[in-house]
Amino acid sequence: MPISKCPKKSEPLWKGWDQKSQKNGLRHQVYAVNGDHYVGEWKNNMKHGKGIQVWKKKGAIYEGDWKFGKRDGYGTLSLPDRETGKHRRVYSGWWRGNKKSGYGIQFFGPKEYYEGDWCGNQRSGWGRMYYSNGDIYEGRWCNDKPDGEGMLRLKNGNRYEGYWERGMKNGLGRFFYLDHGQLFEGFWVDNVAKCGTMIDFGRDEAPEPTKFPIPEVKILDPDGVLEEALTMFKKTEEEGD
């Protein structure tokens, strides 16, 4: 009896094409319609692993870690410099879900940069900011502004140590006027000192000391003042009874 064999069913051509088009592992340049291109590792058609992304419109370049299509891990973002025509590093540090998160360094200009903690693209946690005018802030940050305990050191050497809120001095703090040899200690509200005490501090070593030292304030009769206060207190109690 003759044996008949059934021919194998051939898969549609589109299935083979689809399998070949799936991006997995290391790939050479893959271009988007808008001109953006990516070189690096893929997983299930998503950027995953090490890779370099170039955005044509802005000229931005990201080189670093990816996770399921998003910048995640350690990476560096660079932008073109109009003056030199070359790319300059803008941010180097950690990312999570396409946003700066963790420790990183952000360059705002040639002489202005921040190094410290980030959360959701904002400076948050501990960090140190170097300003272009020579000032340096070191301390706590929240919502991209100094918030909490921190120190601002001015270019001339004077410094503020104390509490901040919304980027302004708020709460207890001390301002060292080292150029004049004085120290102010008190309470601040939105960068304005509301109350406190001013004393001489290192006046003899100050480069521009005040003309006259702050006079010492004394009570001529401290015992008499105390006795008078006690008498008034006892009188108030007796009247209350």
Side-chain angles (χ1 to χ4, degrees), residues 9 26 50 88 135 156 169 189 192 211 218:
K9 293 182 178 180
L26 181 63
K50 303 287 184 181
R88 63 177 179 86
D135 297 346
N156 63 3
K169 304 178 191 76
V189 176
V192 178
K211 188 175 182 181
K218 288 184 177 181

Side-chain angles (χ1 to χ4, degrees), residues 1 7 11 21 32 46 73 80 83 98 102 113 117 145 149 162 178 184 188 198 207-208 210 222 226 230:
M1 183 177 180
E11 292 184 344
S21 67
M46 291 185 287
E83 295 181 0
N98 240 9
Y113 65 96
D117 298 327
K145 295 179 180 180
E149 194 169 1
L178 300 181
F184 175 84
W188 303 71
M198 179 80 83
E208 299 177 7
T210 55
L226 180 59
L230 289 172

Side-chain angles (χ1 to χ4, degrees), residues 90-103:
V90 175
Y91 175 80
S92 287
W94 293 90
W95 301 72
R96 185 175 183 182
N98 240 9
K99 295 182 178 180
K100 290 171 276 191
S101 293
Y103 181 83

Side-chain angles (χ1 to χ4, degrees), residues 173-175 177 182-187 194-200 214:
R174 298 188 299 173
F175 201 107
Y177 295 92
Q182 292 182 328
L183 166 63
F184 175 84
E185 186 170 2
F187 193 86
K194 292 296 183 179
C195 62
T197 57
M198 179 80 83
I199 63 172
D200 287 323
I214 298 175

Side-chain angles (χ1 to χ4, degrees), residues 59-130:
I61 300 176
Y62 171 81
E63 182 175 0
D65 298 325
W66 296 79
K67 193 172 182 180
F68 300 113
K70 295 182 178 180
R71 289 169 287 186
D72 202 300
Y74 190 86
T76 299
L77 179 66
S78 302
L79 291 174
D81 192 319
R82 295 180 179 179
E83 295 181 0
T84 63
K86 299 178 180 180
H87 278 78
R88 63 177 179 86
R89 185 176 53 170
V90 175
Y91 175 80
S92 287
W94 293 90
W95 301 72
R96 185 175 183 182
N98 240 9
K99 295 182 178 180
K100 290 171 276 191
S101 293
Y103 181 83
I105 302 176
Q106 171 86 36
F107 295 89
F108 298 94
K111 297 180 180 180
E112 188 164 302
Y113 65 96
Y114 168 86
E115 56 180 2
D117 298 327
W118 294 79
C119 183
N121 272 346
Q122 292 187 328
R123 290 167 285 187
S124 184
W126 178 92
R128 184 186 293 118
M129 180 72 196
Y130 296 85

Side-chain angles (χ1 to χ4, degrees), residues 28-84:
H28 295 296
Q29 291 193 18
V30 177
Y31 283 85
V33 178
N34 60 2
D36 298 348
H37 60 274
Y38 171 82
V39 180
E41 297 176 311
W42 296 78
K43 184 176 182 180
N44 297 331
N45 271 342
M46 291 185 287
K47 300 160 193 169
H48 192 88
K50 303 287 184 181
I52 302 173
Q53 171 74 37
V54 179
W55 290 272
K56 182 180 179 181
K57 187 175 182 180
K58 293 184 177 180
I61 300 176
Y62 171 81
E63 182 175 0
D65 298 325
W66 296 79
K67 193 172 182 180
F68 300 113
K70 295 182 178 180
R71 289 169 287 186
D72 202 300
Y74 190 86
T76 299
L77 179 66
S78 302
L79 291 174
D81 192 319
R82 295 180 179 179
E83 295 181 0
T84 63

